[in-house]
Amino acid sequence: MDHDSDENVHRVQITARGAKAAIEIDGRRVDPGALSGYTVSHREGEPPQVVLYSGDHVETIFEGMARVAVADVPGPGPAAAVFLAAIDAAELERVALARPDLGTGPHSLTQAMLTQLVEWARGL
């Protein structure tokens, strides 16, 4: 298949600097405020694919042809299981007991441990 003449293939230019990027499709700049991100992938024998992620609270209108794929967002269970399996129980207990927000009421240690796990999951 000759992808160079495929009408669904568009010229894309991405200029990225640090956490910011300017994206143009067929010479038209995409409003950066309308996007929450993008990915670029490329498989041998196929044209590169650019996926634009629209912002959560932005009304966005794109014109033109697009390939559409629907994917299920994976449930958090498997990732949570891997994360929890890597936790050192003694370290969790030590850190939770040393938290300044550890209360004295029922379930305070459990709450401190859950709060600590959330912080570790977020990389804090």
Side-chain angles (χ1 to χ4, degrees):
M1 179 177 197
D2 181 12
H3 291 293
D4 291 334
S5 64
D6 189 340
E7 66 186 47
N8 292 331
V9 176
H10 298 272
R11 182 182 172 279
V12 177
Q13 179 175 336
I14 300 172
T15 306
R17 291 212 166 123
K20 304 227 182 227
I23 301 173
E24 290 184 11
I25 300 174
D26 293 333
R28 292 175 49 197
R29 183 161 185 210
V30 176
D31 177 7
L35 301 176
S36 65
Y38 66 93
T39 59
V40 179
S41 62
H42 186 209
R43 292 186 176 191
E44 185 176 344
E46 297 181 13
Q49 180 177 5
V50 177
V51 177
L52 304 176
Y53 299 93
S54 63
D56 291 335
H57 304 289
V58 177
E59 183 176 318
T60 307
I61 298 173
F62 291 102
E63 294 179 17
M65 300 293 290
R67 292 183 183 157
V68 176
V70 178
D72 288 330
V73 177
V82 170
F83 171 74
L84 292 172
I87 299 298
D88 179 325
E91 175 71 3
L92 175 59
E93 185 174 308
R94 184 187 66 72
V95 172
L97 288 171
R99 290 184 62 89
D101 59 351
L102 176 62
T104 58
H107 315 296
S108 294
L109 179 58
T110 302
Q111 182 61 48
M113 287 181 165
L114 290 171
T115 301
Q116 185 63 48
L117 289 170
V118 167
E119 290 178 2
W120 281 347
R122 290 183 176 149
L124 302 174

